[in-house]
Amino acid sequence: MKAIVQDRYGSADVLEFKDVETPVPGDREVLVRVHAASVNARDWHLMRGDPYLARLVLGVRRPKAKILGTDFAGRVEAVGAGVTRLRPGDEVFGEAEGAFAEYMCASEDVVERRPANLSFEQAAAIPLAGTTALMGLRDLGGVRQGQKVLINGASGGVGTFAVQIAKASGAAVTGVCSTRNVELVRSLGADRVVDYTQEDFATGAERYDLLFDLVGNRSLAECRRALTPTGTLVLSGGGVFEGGSVVGPMGLLLKGQLLSRFVRQRLLVLSASPGREKLAALRDLAENGSITPVIDRTYPLHEVPEAIRYVEIEHARAKVVVSSPPPSGP
């Protein structure tokens, strides 16, 4: 099969489009023919081994994972022993390593049937970003009706889902983004949009019950200033590549964990993890119209290096998707 393979850390130039062995599903795994995948900030972090401290887990000298990509949507081709919930022919979506390939194996615990009203490309845009938004708002933030919620980074992959999920929860939503994305964020349901080139949410008079920070470009003091005395700050790293770092967004996250012990406000660090329950919840939100994936650009599989370059440098709007449909029959 064809796949995007990485043998060393570096820029997108280290990625190769080449032939590799098609994987074989193990116990409780499914083999999926990938029709679409999507690019996340996680991909360029893994590609570059950035921040450097993360290499202790990712691989010190070279990456342990050879094929990037985690979000996928496609059709089940085969199932391993012990799989009873899925069968060949099922159309699915999920989150697992190795999505930038024609085929991939994934545990059935991180795979769900794709939303019936979405294309493969739309479904592939959901898993990591949607799960991050869902966990940050629902599981950590405890968002509820009537709260004032601010999303810093509202036009990004996670942010576009966060605005919609917060709105579906009955919150009054403020989204922070650049000038070119104001109308997009407003179209997603935000009650108010702050253009950060014109206004600073941290110095304004408004105070929020929940602030979901997806950028990591503001200090803890600035974020806390925008909260009510008992408000909640949920931190989730992100951003674009700025030349490499030792700790990157991990520095802000660690500071938040330390400070949380000494203040009334809740300072929480999000560690998103894939799972069937979250995928099923996101599928339900998609099928009832509460969330709609927003796709900025679509690239073919062999152009994954260009897709990652765009995400790591250009402040992509919403999601960037990789399309890899199977060849048409005779």
Side-chain angles (χ1 to χ4, degrees):
M1 69 172 186
K2 294 290 188 181
I4 298 294
V5 179
Q6 171 187 7
D7 293 317
R8 64 190 189 277
Y9 293 120
S11 71
D13 293 336
V14 306
L15 303 180
E16 297 182 82
F17 183 57
K18 59 193 295 186
D19 290 310
V20 298
E21 291 294 324
T22 302
V24 177
D27 291 351
R28 299 185 61 80
E29 286 188 337
V30 296
L31 175 68
V32 177
R33 174 56 169 95
V34 180
H35 289 221
S38 71
V39 182
N40 296 287
R42 180 180 189 273
D43 296 312
W44 69 255
H45 280 290
L46 294 177
M47 179 184 73
R48 292 187 177 272
D50 181 83
Y52 301 134
L53 186 62
R55 295 189 185 187
L56 295 175
V57 176
L58 304 178
V60 176
R61 295 183 178 275
R62 57 183 58 85
K64 295 177 183 177
K66 301 301 183 183
I67 301 176
L68 292 178
T70 55
D71 291 349
F72 66 89
R75 184 172 283 108
V76 174
E77 293 289 318
V79 300
V83 176
T84 58
R85 191 174 55 86
L86 298 168
R87 66 180 68 180
D90 286 345
E91 296 181 351
V92 298
F93 76 133
E95 182 183 342
E97 288 187 357
F100 295 154
E102 291 179 319
Y103 293 89
M104 66 180 296
C105 287
S107 165
E108 67 169 340
D109 294 332
V110 294
V111 180
E112 260 297 341
R113 290 177 175 81
R114 74 177 174 100
N117 60 328
L118 299 185
S119 66
F120 284 109
E121 287 76 15
Q122 289 174 308
I126 293 177
L128 191 151
T131 294
T132 302
L134 186 70
M135 291 185 67
L137 292 168
R138 183 194 70 176
D139 301 343
L140 277 189
V143 64
R144 58 185 183 273
Q145 187 169 354
Q147 285 188 320
K148 292 183 178 180
V149 175
L150 182 136
I151 312 295
N152 185 29
S155 63
V158 178
T160 50
F161 287 112
V163 169
Q164 296 177 81
I165 291 171
K167 190 64 181 175
S169 301
V173 182
T174 296
V176 181
C177 63
S178 64
T179 305
R180 74 184 183 115
N181 295 320
V182 167
E183 291 307 317
L184 166 64
V185 173
R186 185 172 288 122
S187 73
L188 296 174
D191 299 280
R192 180 169 174 261
V193 182
V194 173
D195 177 353
Y196 65 72
T197 69
Q198 304 294 323
E199 183 181 353
D200 185 355
F201 74 83
T203 60
E206 195 72 54
R207 295 294 178 266
Y208 300 92
D209 301 296
L210 172 59
L211 195 163
F212 195 10
D213 180 29
L214 302 168
V215 185
N217 64 342
R218 308 305 297 267
S219 69
L220 287 175
E222 290 171 325
C223 289
R224 291 184 58 216
R225 194 179 302 134
L227 289 174
T228 64
T230 57
T232 298
L233 170 62
V234 177
L235 297 167
S236 178
V240 295
F241 182 68
E242 296 178 344
S245 63
V246 176
V247 296
M250 295 167 61
L252 181 66
L253 305 184
L254 291 172
K255 290 178 183 177
Q257 288 180 318
L258 292 173
L259 184 61
S260 65
R261 305 181 183 189
F262 306 103
V263 298
R264 292 176 61 201
Q265 293 163 325
R266 298 171 67 225
L267 310 183
L268 306 172
V269 175
L270 174 61
S271 178
S273 58
R276 283 179 50 202
E277 180 273 330
K278 284 160 278 194
L279 289 170
L282 291 164
R283 181 189 60 212
D284 292 344
L285 287 170
E287 290 182 341
N288 69 26
S290 295
I291 62 172
T292 301
V294 179
I295 297 174
D296 182 353
R297 295 186 182 185
T298 301
Y299 293 80
L301 180 61
H302 69 274
E303 291 185 9
V304 161
E306 290 303 315
I308 293 181
R309 283 192 186 97
Y310 179 62
V311 170
E312 73 167 340
I313 297 172
E314 299 293 340
H315 292 278
R317 297 161 53 123
K319 293 294 298 181
V320 171
V321 168
V322 175
S323 182
S324 180
S328 57

